[in-house]
């Protein structure tokens, strides 16, 4: 399951440290090392999928779980009232830099639309 050269797989196994805010049987949530908002966390499934593009029908329950965990963490961080943003960058052209599927959850400042 873990891919040898994948940063997020190494964070999941503990080989590389991460600032973990939540962990359950399917995913881990860590604080982004280069935060773009007062709250910026990454919801990362244990399963190594390169991107959303690699997800198939069997992954639908996992994807739903990741979104709900992101919402729960955003609420725990106090962003229920003012809102928060969930982002999945898919492919280098869309800004993906770590090729292990993850959901960004950002909150604590006004968000603009359209995103850059
Ligand atoms: P993306 O560009 O959508 O693939 O998102 C990857 C995110 O991982 C970026 O926001 C990086 O700041 C973040 N990141 C890279 N290395 C680490 C790390 N060691 N711990 C936490 N976040 C990281
Ligand atoms: Zn991985």
């Amino acid at each position: 399951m873990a891919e040898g050269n994948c940063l997020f797989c190494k964070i999941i196994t503990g080989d590389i440290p991460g600032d973990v805010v939540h962990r359950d049987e399917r995913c881990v949530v860590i604080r982004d090392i280069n935060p773009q908002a007062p709250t910026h966390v990454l919801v990362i499934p244990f399963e190594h999928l390169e991107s959303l593009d690699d997800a198939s029908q069997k992954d639908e329950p996992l994807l739903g779980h990741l979104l709900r965990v992101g919402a729960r963490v955003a609420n725990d961080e106090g962003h229920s009232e003012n809102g928060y943003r969930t982002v999945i960058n898919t492919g280098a052209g869309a800004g993906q830099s770590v090729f292990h599927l993850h959901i960004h959850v950002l909150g604590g400042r006004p968000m603009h639309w359209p995103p850059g």
Side-chain angles (χ1 to χ4, degrees):
M1 197 146 87
E3 294 266 324
N5 236 354
C6 171
L7 171 66
F8 287 170
C9 282
K10 287 179 178 159
I11 288 177
I12 288 162
T13 57
D15 291 332
I16 290 177
D19 186 357
V20 175
V21 298
H22 169 91
R23 192 179 186 102
D24 62 32
E25 68 287 355
R26 282 179 279 184
C27 68
V28 66
V29 183
I30 61 168
R31 295 202 187 278
D32 197 293
I33 205 167
N34 182 24
Q36 301 300 311
T39 293
H40 185 175
V41 298
L42 306 171
V43 185
I44 306 171
F46 291 162
E47 187 178 347
H48 178 96
L49 298 165
E50 278 205 2
S51 76
L52 186 59
D53 224 42
D54 269 11
S56 58
Q57 195 173 11
K58 74 168 175 39
D59 301 310
E60 287 178 4
L62 175 64
L63 294 171
H65 179 72
L66 301 175
L67 284 168
R68 279 184 25 83
V69 166
R72 208 180 315 145
V73 171
N75 275 260
D76 289 347
E77 301 259 327
H79 304 306
S80 161
E81 193 172 333
N82 288 327
Y84 54 89
R85 183 167 289 175
T86 47
V87 174
I88 303 176
N89 296 322
T90 303
Q96 186 175 7
S97 60
V98 178
F99 288 84
H100 178 134
L101 173 68
H102 53 282
I103 301 176
H104 296 257
V105 180
L106 301 115
R109 65 164 171 82
M111 298 287 163
H112 306 290
W113 194 262

